[in-house]
Each structure stands twice: as structure tokens, then as C-alpha cells.
């Protein structure tokens, strides 16, 4: 099930599949920290380019989360899904690497950019962010309620 070349996507998966995915992931230990960023509400200097917008989002997200989940002895891997814009994958990876190096408390840290369908963690992030956005934008909490015990923070930027 899911999409053969694109994995699972909460927005486009049919409701029965979506419910099964949420039920399955809710039974596993994981942590969700969300940084909510609306482009039209961002400061003008953040909206100068898509790369700047994403880099700002990663910076504030990881500045908040990294010290809570990692110590100097840990290994931290920042992973972003490939962003379908005019940005080159190399530019995206460079921006993410820069942010991870600035905020990660670890000596051993890495940044990667992968297609979302290639990584279950990115698909998990897609599902969780979709549920959080649906709750915030539409007031619908049915899927959010299935994972709310996993959500440790929701930080609204701008």
C-alpha cells in the first residue's frame, strides 16, 4: 500500500490507509517536536528566497529541539526531505549542514537530504506534521488525538 515511488503521504492517502498508518505508528515510541512556520507571516528578510525560509525554519527548530534530545556524546543526524523547489539538493544540504553545525550540542553530527519515500522517519514526520496542521488550520483533531501523547512541543514561529 502507499504510493510505489513516493511512500506514504497523509494528505493523499485514502482515509482507511491513513487511519491504519496512524494506529500503527501510535504504538511505537517516538517523539514529535513541531515548529510551525507560515511563510506569509514570516519576516520579509526570511521570505527573500525559499532556501532562506527553510534554513530559518531548520535553525529555530533545531535550536529548540537539539539540546533537549542530544548530548555531547550523542550522534545527531539532521535529515530533510528533498524539497521540490528550484533549490539544488546541494544548496539544501549545505544549508541544513550549516544549521546542524551551529546548533547541535554533539561533536558527531551529520546532515542529509533524501527523498521522503526513501526514509520511514521522513514519512512519519509527514504524517505527524499533517495531523498537527489539520488541527491548527481546520480544528480537526481525530488524527492528532492518535499521536498527541508523542507530541512534546509545538512552537509557533512568527
Amino acid at each position: 500500500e502507499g504510493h510505489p515511488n513516493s511512500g506514504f503521504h497523509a494528505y493523499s492517502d485514502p482515509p482507511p490507509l491513513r487511519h491504519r498508518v496512524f494506529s500503527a505508528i501510535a504504538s511505537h515510541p517516538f517523539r514529535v517536536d513541531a515548529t510551525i512556520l507560515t511563510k506569509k507571516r514570516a519576516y520579509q528578510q526570511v521570505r527573500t528566497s525559499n532556501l532562506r525560509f527553510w534554513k530559518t525554519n531548520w535553525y529555530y527548530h533545531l535550536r529548540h529541539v537539539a539540546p533537549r534530545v542530544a548530548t555531547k556524546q550523542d550522534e545527531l543526524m539532521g535529515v530533510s526531505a528533498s524539497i521540490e523547489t528550484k533549490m539544488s539538493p546541494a544548496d539544501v544540504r549545505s544549508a541544513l549542514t550549516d544549521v546542524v553545525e551551529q546548533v547541535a550540542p554533539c561533536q558527531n553530527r551529520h546532515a542529509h537530504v533524501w527523498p521522503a519515500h526513501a526514509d520511514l522517519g521522513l514519512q512519519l514526520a509527514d504524517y505527524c506534521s499533517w495531523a498537527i496542521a489539520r488541527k491548527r488550520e481546520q480544528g480537526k483533531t481525530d488524527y492528532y488525538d492518535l499521536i498527541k501523547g508523542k507530541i512534546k512541543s509545538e512552537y509557533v514561529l512568527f
Side-chain angles (χ1 to χ4, degrees):
E1 293 190 50
H3 307 281
N5 295 320
S6 62
F8 295 98
H9 293 285
Y11 176 78
S12 58
D13 286 344
L17 174 58
R18 189 183 303 136
H19 188 76
R20 285 198 316 271
V21 171
F22 272 106
S23 295
I25 64 177
S27 68
H28 294 282
F30 65 94
R31 172 190 177 114
V32 176
D33 290 277
T35 299
I36 294 94
L37 187 70
T38 305
K39 194 169 191 175
K40 66 182 178 183
R41 291 185 182 162
Y43 298 123
Q44 181 61 38
Q45 65 267 26
V46 173
R47 292 184 278 145
T48 57
S49 73
N50 281 333
L51 190 59
R52 174 79 182 243
F53 176 77
W54 283 104
K55 189 172 181 177
T56 300
N57 184 31
W58 293 324
Y59 176 81
Y60 283 104
H61 179 72
L62 290 173
R63 187 179 83 170
H64 170 76
V65 176
R68 290 172 169 77
V69 299
T71 68
K72 286 183 181 187
Q73 293 77 33
D74 291 324
E75 180 175 5
L76 183 84
M77 183 168 44
V79 179
S80 171
S82 303
I83 301 169
E84 295 185 20
T85 67
K86 295 178 183 176
M87 298 181 296
S88 77
D91 287 344
V92 174
R93 186 174 185 277
S94 176
L96 182 58
T97 298
D98 184 41
V99 169
V100 168
E101 289 177 356
Q102 286 181 56
V103 299
C106 317
Q107 301 270 336
N108 195 2
R109 53 192 182 249
H110 314 276
H112 300 282
V113 179
W114 294 323
H117 72 273
D119 186 84
L120 289 175
L122 291 173
Q123 292 179 53
L124 173 69
D126 172 82
Y127 259 74
C128 294
S129 61
W130 178 83
I132 292 167
R134 190 168 186 262
K135 174 190 162 245
R136 293 182 150 287
E137 295 167 4
Q138 302 171 16
K140 296 179 179 176
T141 63
D142 47 347
Y143 293 106
Y144 180 92
D145 290 343
L146 293 172
I147 59 162
K148 69 181 173 186
K150 312 292 185 182
I151 300 171
K152 304 303 178 196
S153 67
E154 291 181 59
Y155 174 64
V156 179
L157 187 59
F158 307 120

